[in-house]
Amino acid sequence: MTLKSVTLVHYLFLFMLKKIGFFVLFLASFWVSAQNEQLAFNYIDAGEYEKAVTILEELYTKNKQIYSDKLLYCYQQLKQYDKALKLIGELKVKYNNPTFLVEEGYVYQLQKKQSEADKKYEEALNEINKNPNYAYNLGSIFERKVLLEWALKAYENGQKVNPNLNFDYQIALLQGQLGNLDLMLEKLLDYGYKNQENTALVQNQLSRFLMDDTEGTFAADIRKALLLKTQKSQDVYWNQFLSWFFVQQKEYGKAFVQEKSVYKRNPESFINIVTLAKMAIEEKQSEDAKTILTFVLENTQDLDLQMQAHHFLISIEIENAPQTDYIIIHQKLQELLKKYGVTPFSLDLQILTAHFEAFYLKQPELGKQLLQNTLNLPLNIRQQSKIKMELADIMVFDEKFNQAILFYAQVEENLKNDVLAHEASMKLAKANFYKKDFDWTLQQVKNLKQSSSLLIANDAVELFLLIQDNSVEDSLRVALQAYAKADLQLYQKKNEEALQSFLSILQKHKGESIEDETLLKVAKIYEQKKEYTTALNYYQNILENHKEGIYIDEALFFSAEIYKKHLMDNEKAKPLYEKMVLEHADSLYYTESRKQYRTLRGDTSI
C-alpha cells in the first residue's frame, strides 16, 4: 500500500470518528431534551408549575413553537401575567396569528379586566373579515377556553364572510352546550342531510343528549322534527333517520314501518329489516319480532335469510308454547332440517333442535347425538366451539358435569378473549357450582367479575357473593348445597321441583344470608307461572326485609313490570320505576326503568 493510500485511509477513519462522535452527541442531547420535557409535563400534572417553568423556559429557547403553549399555561397558573403577556407579544411578532389575540384577551380576563379582554376578542374576530379561514382556529381556541359565545361568533362570522365554509356541526354543538337544544337539533339534522357521510357522527351526538334527557322532552323534540321531515320530504334519508331514532327508543314496530318505506325504494336495505328483527327478539318484543320476520319470509328468496327467520320465529314459539305443543314444534324443526339439510349452513338450526330435544322433550341423548354428528361436518373453530358449548349445556342438564367442564374448557382455549370464551368461563363456573365444588367456583368467578361483558360480570359478582356470604355463617354450606340443587332443577326446566326446593330453603333457613337470593328465585318462578300476585308478595319481602341486599333493584324493576305489563296498574308501577331511576343508576335495569317512567309520565308524547 502506498503512503498516499495510507494517508487517505487514515483521513477517512478520522472523518468517520468525527461523524460518529457528532451522532452520539446528537443522540445524547436529544435524550436529555426528551427527559427534561417529560419531567416538565410531570410537574404540570402534579400542579408544581414553578418547577415546570424552570425547565420549560430553557426548552422554549430551543423550540418556541412546541413549548410555548405549556409555558404560557404555567405562567397563567402562577398568575405571572406580565410574563404571560410578554411571551404572547413575542409569539405575535414571530407567527402573526390572531389566536394570540385570544390568548392575550384571556390573560386580561384572568386579571378581571373584562373590558380589555373583550377588546382583544373583538380584535381577533375582526381578523376573520380579512381572512375567513381564521374562523376555525379562532372558534377552536375559544371553545378550549370555554368562551362559547365568542366561539359561536367566530364560526358564524366565518360562514358569513365565506358561505362556502361549513361550521354547522360546530355551531350545533355550541348551541347544545349553551342550552339551546332546539337550535342544536335543527342544525345537526341539516348538517347530517347535507353531509350524509357524517350521519353517524350526528347520531352519536344526539345519543349523548338522549342519555342525559331525564325528562324525555328532547326525545319528543327529535321525534316531532323527524316526523315533520318525513312528511315534507320524500327523501328516504329521513325514513332511515327516523328508524334509527325508534331503535334508540326500542320501539321496533315503529322502526319497522320506516324500514319498509326504505325497502320499497331501496331493496338492498333488506338486511336492515333482518337486523331489526334480531333486536326485537333480544328485547323480548315478540309480537313486533313476529311481524317483522313474517315480512322477511314473504319477501326474500335468500336461503340464509329464510333460515334465520325460521330460526327466530320458532325460537319465539318455543319460549311461549305450552307443553302440549312440543310434539308439533319438534315436527317443524325436523321439517326445517330436512328442507335445509344437516350442513354447516344450517348450524344454528341444528343447535336449536338439539337444545329443544334435551331441555323441552327431556331427551338429552337425542340432542347429544345430533350435535356429535354435526361435529363431523367441516366446521371452522368458531362453529366447533358453538357446537361444543351446546353439548356442554346438555351435559350439565344430564348432570354429566365433568364432561361439560371439559367442553367448556375447550371453548375457552380455542377462542381466547372472545365473548363466547367469556360465556364458556361463566358456564364452567356454574357447572362447578351445580357440582357443589364451591371453592373452585369461587376462584373462577373472581376473574370473571372484571369481564368486558356487563351481563357476565354481573352474574359473576352475584355468584361470588352468594358463595362467599353463605360460607361465613354456615361452614358446612348446608343452605348453599340445597340452593345449588334447586338452581340446577331450574336450569333443567323442572320448575315445579325447583319451586318446592326453594320454598323448603326459605322454611329451613329463614333469616340466613341465603334468604334474599331464594326469594328472588321463587318470585321469578311464580311470575313465569303467571301467578303475579304471589310473585309480587315475594318481591315485596325483598324490598321490606333486605333493603341492603344486592337484589333490591331487581325486586323493584320486576314488580314494576308486573304492574305495568300484566296487571295494567300504572299508578302502582310508576313509583317503583321512579325509585329505580332515582336510587339505582348503576343497575342493569336502569335504562329500561327510565324509559318506562317517562312513558308513564307522558314525556314521549308529541
Side-chain angles (χ1 to χ4, degrees), residues 254-308:
K254 293 178 181 178
F256 174 52
V257 173
Q258 300 304 318
E259 288 297 344
K260 277 199 296 185
S261 297
V262 175
Y263 171 66
K264 287 176 183 176
R265 286 172 278 179
N266 179 17
E268 291 182 3
S269 70
F270 192 74
I271 191 64
N272 294 342
I273 295 177
V274 178
T275 303
L276 202 59
K278 292 178 182 178
M279 292 183 196
I281 291 166
E282 287 171 3
E283 294 296 328
K284 301 192 181 302
Q285 297 184 17
S286 300
E287 291 307 312
D288 285 338
K290 285 181 187 177
T291 303
I292 300 169
L293 289 168
T294 301
F295 179 85
V296 170
L297 287 172
E298 290 171 351
N299 289 276
T300 185
Q301 299 301 314
D302 186 298
L303 291 179
D304 189 36
L305 288 181
Q306 283 182 10
M307 195 158 52
Q308 284 186 53

Side-chain angles (χ1 to χ4, degrees), residues 380-434:
N380 60 39
I381 292 295
R382 187 170 186 80
Q383 290 172 323
Q384 289 176 16
S385 296
K386 287 176 72 174
I387 296 296
K388 288 179 178 180
M389 185 83 95
E390 185 59 43
L391 257 175
D393 290 349
I394 294 174
M395 296 294 184
V396 172
F397 173 91
D398 207 22
E399 300 186 36
K400 303 288 194 305
F401 300 118
N402 290 334
Q403 293 178 51
I405 288 167
L406 181 62
F407 279 119
Y408 288 137
Q410 288 176 9
V411 175
E412 276 185 312
E413 179 63 26
N414 293 334
L415 295 175
K416 288 178 179 177
N417 299 320
D418 188 276
V419 174
L420 203 62
H422 287 282
E423 188 180 339
S425 299
M426 187 63 218
K427 288 187 172 187
L428 193 155
K430 208 67 190 285
N432 276 309
F433 179 72
Y434 294 142

Side-chain angles (χ1 to χ4, degrees), residues 193-204:
Y193 184 68
K194 292 174 186 174
N195 304 274
Q196 295 187 14
E197 69 279 5
N198 291 329
T199 298
L201 187 66
V202 171
Q203 290 173 343
N204 286 339

Side-chain angles (χ1 to χ4, degrees), residues 244-262:
W244 168 85
F245 170 74
F246 284 132
V247 167
Q248 306 311 298
Q249 302 299 103
K250 298 185 179 180
E251 297 178 291
Y252 300 110
K254 293 178 181 178
F256 174 52
V257 173
Q258 300 304 318
E259 288 297 344
K260 277 199 296 185
S261 297
V262 175

